[in-house]
Amino acid sequence: IGRLKEAVDLGIAQPIKSELLDKVVPPQYRDPEGLWYAISARARVVYASRDRVPQNEITYEELADPKWKGKICIRSGQHIYNNALIGAMIAKHGEAKTEEWLKGLKANLAQKPSGGDREQARDVAAGRCDIGIGNTYYWALMKTSANQKDWAEATKVILPTFAGGGTHVNVSGVVLAKNAPNKANAMKLIEWLAGDTAQHMYADTNYEYPIVAGIKVNDIIAGYGKLNPDPMPLSKIAENKKAAANLVDKVGFDN
């Protein structure tokens, strides 16, 4: 969502007018003015140690609970995935409470934020932390990788929720360039990405959640349990992108 907002802020996107997209893409996963549409989704989840974490449910708010002190691994707070999660917390709880939550999360880190999502599972497997934060599709990619399968097998995916809400998702999406020289063909591609063939490819090649209802979720992803996405429109989360980045710096999260 961060990159989609950047395209809009730069003024390089034009409205996408498509009856097909309006029909198949839920309103929460598109720009109110039609400047971007999501075409697949991934959830921001917990990779928990199978040996050391008995619980199978957790809230994002709980990540700041002192019981996790020294037990959490995460990549940079300024990465777009974490920035979006922080932006969602701001939308839910306001900046002041999100700052306190971010301080609590920082206090629970086992090490300085680093690496990518897969490295968080690697470090859980190595015993450096008990839970890591990552996207759903990375775990599936590890599970099917000969070199990283052990990282996945040492962990389990827990689908967190906001207190009283659902699971935070981020998306792959499309914009239509304002200066697109072949707009008609661009629209054909965009609509194809929301069609059955491409949606199955997103599900089974990159292990993402299809944005279109009725497309089967890959079995590995389905194995995490039923995803209940938080209903908050992604556009509201995007509005907090700058505020989220500022909080990361203010609390010295990446230091």
Side-chain angles (χ1 to χ4, degrees), residues 8-247:
V8 172
D9 289 345
L10 289 171
I12 62 174
Q14 63 173 295
I16 298 171
K17 297 179 181 179
S18 168
E19 290 184 5
L20 172 65
L21 293 182
D22 286 342
K23 180 180 179 181
V24 302
V25 178
Q28 76 190 79
Y29 298 133
R30 53 174 126 125
D31 179 69
E33 298 179 3
L35 292 169
W36 55 261
Y37 284 77
I39 50 175
S40 65
R42 52 292 268 275
R44 199 82 181 131
V45 298
V46 163
Y47 305 153
S49 168
R50 289 188 180 276
D51 295 334
R52 301 184 300 279
V53 179
Q55 70 189 69
N56 292 309
E57 295 181 358
I58 194 170
T59 64
Y60 295 108
E61 289 84 355
E62 187 187 328
L63 296 175
D65 189 312
K67 77 176 186 179
W68 296 111
K69 186 173 179 61
K71 296 182 179 181
I72 298 178
C73 288
I74 194 170
R75 72 193 302 168
S76 169
Q78 291 294 15
H79 189 274
I80 53 173
Y81 297 150
N82 289 332
N83 231 232
L85 176 58
I86 297 165
M89 291 292 292
I90 293 173
K92 291 278 186 182
H93 301 298
E95 286 191 44
K97 288 187 177 180
T98 299
E99 180 178 344
E100 292 307 307
W101 171 80
L102 201 56
K103 288 178 179 177
L105 175 57
K106 175 180 168 61
N108 288 341
L109 298 183
Q111 58 193 18
K112 180 179 178 179
S114 63
D117 283 2
R118 301 186 209 208
E119 283 69 32
Q120 313 317 313
R122 176 199 66 189
D123 290 348
V124 172
R128 298 188 185 101
C129 38
D130 286 356
I131 62 176
I133 310 301
N135 277 358
T136 40
Y137 69 99
Y138 282 118
W139 194 92
L141 290 169
M142 289 185 288
K143 181 73 172 176
T144 55
S145 167
N147 296 329
Q148 299 174 351
K149 188 176 182 180
D150 289 349
W151 304 350
E153 292 184 344
T155 59
K156 60 184 177 181
V157 173
I158 301 176
L159 298 175
T161 60
F162 292 104
T167 299
H168 171 68
V169 301
N170 47 66
V171 297
S172 295
V174 292
V175 297
L176 178 60
K178 185 174 290 186
N179 63 346
N182 300 297
K183 182 176 177 179
N185 284 337
M187 286 303 304
K188 288 180 181 178
L189 173 60
I190 289 172
E191 291 187 339
W192 182 82
L193 291 172
D196 286 2
T197 298
Q199 289 292 298
H200 281 292
M201 291 171 65
Y202 277 112
D204 292 322
T205 301
N206 204 39
Y207 302 106
E208 298 192 60
Y209 290 97
I211 210 73
V212 178
I215 303 295
K216 184 178 182 297
V217 176
N218 181 271
D219 289 342
I220 295 177
I221 300 297
Y224 304 155
K226 179 175 172 52
L227 175 69
N228 294 303
D230 194 74
M232 179 179 296
L234 296 187
S235 58
K236 290 189 176 296
I237 297 173
E239 290 172 0
N240 296 316
K241 181 179 183 297
K242 184 176 181 180
N246 288 343
L247 282 184

